[in-house]
Amino acid sequence: MKKRRLRLMRIIPVAVIFLLLLGISLIHTPPARRLVFEQVRTRLLKKLALDVRADRFHYNLFTREITLEGLTVRSVSAPDLPPIFHADRIYLKPAILSIIKGSWDFEDLLFTAPKIHYFIGQDGKNNLPQTASYSGSAPEFLIARAKAGNGSFQFDDLRNNFSMTFPQWQLQVNGKGSTRAHKIYFSILRPASIQYRAQTIPVDQLKVSGTLQQSTFRADAAYLSAADSHISITGSVSGFSNPRIDLQFQPNVDLKGIARALNSHATLEGNIAGTIRLSGALDNLQNLKIDARLRGTGIRALGYRKTNFDLSSRADWNSSRLRVHRMEMNSPDGYLGGSAELFAKSGAGTNTVKAELRDFNLSPVWKLLRPPFDLASRATGSFTLSWNGAFDPLKISGSARLNLVASRQAPDASVLPVSGKLDAQLHPGRMLVNLES
């Protein structure tokens, strides 16, 4: 009897181990893997309205490795539109104990040829999943090592005839367990392009490096180069559901290069550099604060030739309205300061400009009104302008009270030097002027 019990006590552990190994082996069979993938796919379908498909799904519970090949993700509500994501291969090594505790931690995360495509059709329908907005806090996560190579990104907006393409990019992420902060490095490997209607601007370089901690990304260095111009960016973006930005841009813009890239026949030359700071919420661009300090050198535009200027401005963007609280520009062509309220959409409101001039060269501005003669005068005083819809010099209304000083002594066949007090009323298609010399 005792021998039988001892035999059973020896057989039972062996049987348990055998059954456990058999169960684990069965879990690793192709039918079991297909069942697991279908369970995951069904959950994503219900929770996130995402249709996820893969050519191959493989996992190994002993090494904690998961591999997906030919992964495609598309919105359930837009099956006829392009998929939002595709990757030739994805390799994951999750930290299972941390995930059980509620933190989405990964030791390795590797993407091969990830392709991201955001598409908006003519009817406004897009390929993003239509799910209820999520207002909760982002889950904790840590990615010790991540890399994406040979990636691409494409954004198409057929409504506005706008597209943006990054044909090849790379991404690297290194997470630190003690702080749960992630160092991120992103760069394009081939020139990108931004297209609006018939105009295309090539983007030669784009590099971003920074730190992501919880829901805040701080850009240590970001650099964009296009059309012989470049912009450096520093600052932060915080929040996932309702992002807020505090970014500082340092542009160095070559106007001639921009005009060449846009195939513009307008005369544009010179350089504009300085600092622009944007702060506020990105959700529908509500209450976006704008502060600018810019310097122009060798500017040739709107009839002005080889002039320099210093500009400072403070403004805010709210929905589709730009309100310029203060703008000041000093140049050899005089001083221009004032405020404005401008609307991006026609019919949203009346565009208004209120300005003050001091010793300002009127000749180039006067030519924009397409008058029968040129005006050789410098002005001190104020004026207001208003119009609806797109700016058209022939459709604006306004008034001006200016003291004019002739900038040349004698007139000729097409140039009239004028001095005196000017009181003008401007209406669409006509102008009433009272001049006291």
Side-chain angles (χ1 to χ4, degrees):
M1 192 72 176
K2 289 184 178 179
K3 291 182 178 180
R4 183 179 296 178
R5 288 180 180 176
L6 289 173
R7 189 179 304 164
L8 285 174
M9 291 178 64
R10 292 172 182 172
I11 293 174
I12 288 174
V14 173
V16 170
I17 293 173
F18 174 76
L19 291 174
L20 182 62
L21 292 175
L22 179 62
I24 293 175
S25 298
L26 290 174
I27 290 174
H28 285 82
T29 61
R33 289 179 179 137
R34 285 195 294 270
L35 180 61
V36 171
F37 181 76
E38 283 302 318
Q39 291 293 325
V40 174
R41 181 173 178 270
T42 301
R43 187 173 180 83
L44 292 174
L45 202 67
K46 292 180 179 179
K47 293 290 185 181
L48 301 177
L50 289 174
D51 182 11
V52 179
R53 299 179 184 272
D55 296 335
R56 181 175 179 268
F57 174 65
H58 181 273
Y59 57 81
N60 189 318
L61 295 181
F62 296 106
T63 59
R64 297 180 288 112
E65 295 177 314
I66 302 172
T67 303
L68 299 102
E69 295 180 357
L71 180 73
T72 300
V73 181
R74 67 171 68 243
S75 170
V76 174
S77 59
D80 55 328
L81 298 183
I84 190 173
F85 181 80
H86 176 84
D88 288 353
R89 185 176 184 271
I90 299 178
Y91 169 84
L92 306 91
K93 189 172 184 180
I96 295 177
L97 291 178
S98 296
I99 292 176
I100 292 174
K101 294 177 182 178
S103 178
W104 289 87
D105 293 2
F106 293 88
E107 294 179 19
D108 287 294
L109 189 55
L110 305 176
F111 294 85
T112 302
K115 180 181 179 182
I116 302 170
H117 189 181
Y118 179 25
F119 180 90
I120 303 175
Q122 291 281 8
D123 56 358
K125 186 178 180 180
N126 63 59
N127 65 341
L128 296 180
Q130 304 300 312
T131 57
S133 60
Y134 175 73
S135 58
S137 59
E140 288 192 13
F141 65 94
L142 176 68
I143 302 173
R145 292 174 299 276
K147 189 174 182 180
N150 198 28
S152 67
F153 171 79
Q154 186 170 347
F155 170 55
D156 294 310
D157 185 351
L158 301 188
R159 296 172 307 172
N160 300 308
N161 203 2
F162 176 84
S163 66
M164 181 166 54
T165 303
F166 296 168
Q168 188 177 17
W169 53 264
Q170 64 181 5
L171 173 70
Q172 184 175 336
V173 178
N174 296 312
K176 190 174 182 180
S178 59
T179 61
R180 305 191 76 81
H182 298 80
K183 293 292 293 183
I184 297 177
Y185 307 90
F186 173 88
S187 63
I188 61 173
L189 303 178
R190 290 167 52 194
S193 64
I194 299 173
Q195 183 172 346
Y196 178 65
R197 296 182 179 175
Q199 307 298 335
T200 300
I201 298 179
V203 178
D204 303 315
Q205 294 185 56
L206 176 60
K207 298 180 180 179
V208 180
S209 64
T211 302
L212 175 66
Q213 189 161 22
Q214 294 181 340
S215 61
T216 298
F217 176 73
R218 184 168 297 280
D220 302 321
Y223 179 85
L224 184 147
S225 175
D228 299 327
S229 304
H230 62 263
I231 301 176
S232 298
I233 308 169
T234 56
S236 64
V237 180
S238 59
F240 291 134
S241 60
N242 184 19
R244 296 188 63 84
I245 64 170
D246 187 0
L247 298 174
Q248 181 169 286
F249 299 79
Q250 292 183 303
N252 194 318
V253 179
D254 184 284
L255 295 180
K256 192 173 184 178
I258 296 293
R260 183 169 55 249
L262 295 175
N263 295 317
S264 173
H265 298 294
T267 301
L268 285 176
E269 292 182 8
N271 178 269
I272 298 177
T275 301
I276 301 173
R277 182 178 179 182
L278 302 180
S279 59
L282 280 183
D283 186 22
N284 294 323
L285 296 179
Q286 296 286 341
N287 299 319
L288 190 64
K289 307 296 182 184
I290 307 168
D291 285 282
R293 302 286 186 276
L294 299 173
R295 169 167 291 185
T297 55
I299 302 299
R300 186 178 180 187
L302 299 176
Y304 292 94
R305 299 182 179 181
K306 300 297 181 181
T307 190
N308 303 326
F309 69 79
D310 289 291
L311 181 146
S312 63
S313 180
R314 181 172 59 86
D316 64 69
W317 176 273
N318 193 326
S319 187
S320 61
R321 181 192 67 189
L322 175 66
R323 177 176 290 174
V324 182
H325 299 283
R326 177 185 56 80
M327 189 277 291
E328 293 183 317
M329 185 176 71
N330 286 286
S331 77
D333 284 290
Y335 167 88
L336 170 64
S339 61
E341 188 173 30
L342 307 172
F343 294 87
K345 297 180 180 178
S346 180
T350 300
N351 302 284
T352 59
V353 174
K354 298 179 181 179
E356 177 187 355
L357 305 177
R358 289 201 295 266
D359 193 33
F360 194 84
N361 181 12
L362 290 179
S363 178
V365 177
W366 177 260
K367 291 179 181 178
L368 294 178
L369 301 177
R370 302 171 190 173
F373 60 90
D374 292 340
L375 182 65
S377 298
R378 300 180 79 94
T380 298
S382 62
F383 69 87
T384 62
L385 298 175
S386 63
W387 69 94
N388 292 303
F391 180 80
D392 185 339
L394 299 179
K395 295 182 180 180
I396 61 177
S397 299
S399 63
R401 291 186 176 181
L402 304 172
N403 290 320
L404 304 182
V405 177
S407 56
R408 59 183 294 174
Q409 292 184 348
D412 62 22
S414 60
V415 180
L416 180 64
V418 176
S419 295
K421 293 183 178 181
L422 177 72
D423 189 351
Q425 299 293 323
L426 182 62
H427 303 280
R430 62 192 181 96
M431 180 188 297
L432 303 175
V433 179
N434 181 30
L435 178 65
E436 297 180 5
S437 58

